[in-house]
Amino acid sequence: MRFSMTAIVLVVVVAVVLFGAKRLPDLARSLGQSLRILKSEARAMRSEDEPAGSAPAVRPSAPPQVSARPEARSVEPAPGDGPGAPGGERPH
């Protein structure tokens, strides 16, 4: 089932009118948390039904660590963008 752009815009406008622009991020966040909980509970129920020998390995639930300082990246010109490239230097 495909949705047209008009239908999507209409749903967004109705949501903004009903809930207000300030409450939409909170509603989306709580919906995401609810779906995450539902998904984990469904996995737990499936793992209870399986025999003990074939249970999937449990992954750690800790979020990935994000470093405070991103690694420095060097920027290299694309081939043909150097000073000796045909067409001379690029305009600024």
Side-chain angles (χ1 to χ4, degrees):
M1 184 165 151
R2 299 185 75 180
F3 297 105
S4 68
M5 185 58 88
T6 308
I8 294 171
V9 170
L10 183 65
V11 168
V12 169
V13 168
V14 169
V16 169
V17 169
L18 285 177
F19 299 110
K22 291 183 180 180
R23 288 192 54 198
L24 283 180
D26 293 334
L27 290 173
R29 190 175 302 115
S30 65
L31 178 65
Q33 288 174 346
S34 299
L35 289 176
R36 236 178 273 125
I37 291 170
L38 179 67
K39 192 175 181 181
S40 67
E41 291 296 325
R43 276 191 197 138
M45 288 178 65
R46 269 190 255 132
S47 67
E48 289 176 0
D49 292 340
E50 293 177 358
S54 65
V58 177
R59 287 191 261 166
S61 62
Q65 296 295 326
V66 178
S67 69
R69 293 177 52 192
E71 296 180 17
R73 297 182 182 175
S74 62
V75 178
E76 298 178 12
D81 285 346
E89 293 188 23
R90 298 185 336 198
H92 295 277

